[in-house]
């Protein structure tokens, strides 16, 4: 069986700055795969390229066996690949519900959208309680819930999360990370980008370590958590 997402020799540049240097990795159906690395490693660039927001210099991206590296971003969403971006990018003046519905913009099944709105409120009850409230009044953690809920509104097969734990309290971070496991158990495949290696690897079936645009290590989440290099560089241990 081929992987749900396969990235082959992907190179991405901003002018002369090569941010991603021929990386290859894959995500199997049903897995949580974590991509970890420090600031500037190329994690966001990788996700934005998979989403069709940036174009690669070279390499291939296959989603469900088909090339998507030259497919328009909205078509990529429609095929079942959603992206919850770094910094959340919610619309502060719009209500919670309006923000969620933007995640369903490509869908033409109002009944299904309604069902998924209810599913988002089940996943994060606070969103339901405050559905009419402007999203800008929410805390960072609540905005992260909203960003994830919005991404789920396209009913994705693969959900990409860019640093969902950023800036969150430990309790809120736990809540977000347990949602990752919940979504996995509901059948969503997840590609999780994180600087917080501990949180990301604990949940991961498989992980990749990105350093200055290259994958330097890979393995099961469990193996990487006990790996000496990972412990020293990412978990702050001597
Ligand atoms: P962070 O966690 O800080 O977002 P990251 O691993 O996601 O880090 P990227 O944001 O993908 O890293 O950045 C990778 C490299 O590309 C960095 O050297 C960064 O300075 C550079 N870069 C990112 N965006 C641009 C841009 N728009 N123009 C030029 N260089 C950029």
């Amino acid at each position: 069986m081929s992987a749900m997402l396969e990235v082959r020799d992907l190179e991405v540049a901003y002018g002369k700055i090569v941010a991603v240097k021929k990386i290859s990795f894959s995500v199997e159906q049903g897995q949580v795969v974590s991509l970890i690395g420090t600031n500037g490693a190329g994690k966001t660039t990788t996700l934005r390229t998979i989403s069709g927001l940036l174009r690669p210099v070279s390499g291939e991206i296959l989603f469900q066996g088909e090339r998507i590296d030259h497919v328009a971003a909205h078509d990529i969403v429609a095929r079942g690949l959603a992206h919850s971006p770094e910094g959340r990018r919610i619309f502060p003046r719009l209500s919670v519900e309006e923000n969620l519905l933007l995640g369903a913009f490509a869908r033409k099944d109002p009944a299904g959208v309604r069902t998924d709105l209810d599913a988002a409120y089940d996943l994060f009850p606070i969103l339901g309680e405050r559905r009419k409230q402007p999203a800008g009044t929410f805390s960072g953690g609540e905005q992260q819930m909203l960003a994830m809920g919005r991404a789920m509104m396209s009913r994705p097969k693969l959900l990409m999360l860019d640093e969902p734990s950023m800036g969150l309290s430990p309790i809120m971070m736990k809540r977000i990370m347990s949602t990752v496991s919940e979504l996995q158990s509901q059948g969503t495949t997840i590609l999780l980008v994180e600087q917080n290696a501990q949180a990301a690897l604990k949940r991961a079936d498989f992980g990749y370590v990105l350093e200055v645009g290259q994958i330097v290590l890979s393995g099961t989440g469990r193996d990487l958590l006990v790996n000496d290099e990972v412990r020293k560089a990412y978990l702050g241990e001597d």
Side-chain angles (χ1 to χ4, degrees):
M1 204 190 73
S2 64
M4 175 168 267
L5 179 74
E6 194 161 348
V7 171
R8 294 182 187 150
D9 296 325
L10 187 71
E11 184 169 309
V12 190
Y14 299 99
K16 285 186 183 153
I17 303 167
V18 182
V20 171
K21 302 169 184 166
K22 295 199 184 296
I23 65 169
S24 297
F25 66 93
S26 57
V27 181
E28 303 286 339
Q29 181 161 3
Q31 283 185 332
V32 171
V33 171
S34 292
L35 199 56
I36 63 166
T38 50
N39 270 328
K43 305 178 302 294
T44 298
T45 302
T46 301
L47 290 198
R48 289 177 59 81
T49 309
I50 295 169
S51 283
L53 300 170
L54 292 171
R55 291 301 176 202
V57 173
S58 60
E60 295 181 354
I61 303 168
L62 288 99
F63 179 57
Q64 298 186 297
E66 289 177 22
R67 292 276 296 266
I68 56 164
D69 40 273
H70 285 89
V71 173
H74 64 270
D75 277 341
I76 293 176
V77 176
R79 288 179 191 211
L81 202 166
H83 182 177
S84 174
E86 183 174 30
R88 291 131 205 177
R89 308 272 178 104
I90 56 131
F91 295 91
R93 288 170 197 276
L94 298 186
S95 71
V96 166
E97 188 144 309
E98 286 165 338
N99 269 278
L100 288 173
L101 289 171
L102 283 173
F105 74 95
R107 294 176 58 179
K108 293 181 180 63
D109 57 329
V113 170
R114 191 72 241 168
T115 305
D116 288 350
L117 206 49
D118 290 339
Y121 294 146
D122 280 345
L123 195 63
F124 299 118
I126 189 129
L127 299 184
E129 288 160 24
R130 306 203 195 156
R131 65 184 77 190
K132 301 287 179 222
Q133 203 168 310
T137 62
F138 271 32
S139 72
E142 289 158 355
Q143 291 190 14
Q144 183 56 49
M145 294 177 187
L146 182 54
M148 288 171 75
R150 181 181 57 190
M152 288 305 294
M153 288 300 295
S154 63
R155 206 177 269 193
K157 298 184 177 86
L158 174 64
L159 173 65
M160 300 196 296
L161 300 171
D162 195 347
E163 296 203 28
S165 82
M166 190 169 42
L168 303 188
S169 67
I171 288 177
M172 193 53 92
M173 194 180 78
K174 265 198 180 148
R175 171 80 173 83
I176 293 296
M177 288 300 165
S178 71
T179 306
V180 168
S181 299
E182 197 173 336
L183 291 174
Q184 180 186 29
S185 70
Q186 292 172 8
T188 310
T189 304
I190 291 166
L191 177 57
L192 173 64
V193 155
E194 267 296 340
Q195 278 193 54
N196 185 330
Q198 174 96 37
L201 292 175
K202 239 169 78 184
R203 305 275 170 188
D205 296 297
F206 207 80
Y208 296 90
V209 180
L210 201 57
E211 271 177 20
V212 277
Q214 286 176 307
I215 288 173
V216 293
L217 268 177
S218 64
T220 64
R222 195 179 298 247
D223 285 350
L224 289 178
L225 265 180
V226 299
N227 179 288
D228 279 344
E229 280 173 69
V230 172
R231 295 176 80 92
K232 280 186 191 139
Y234 298 96
L235 305 177
E237 295 179 14
D238 297 328

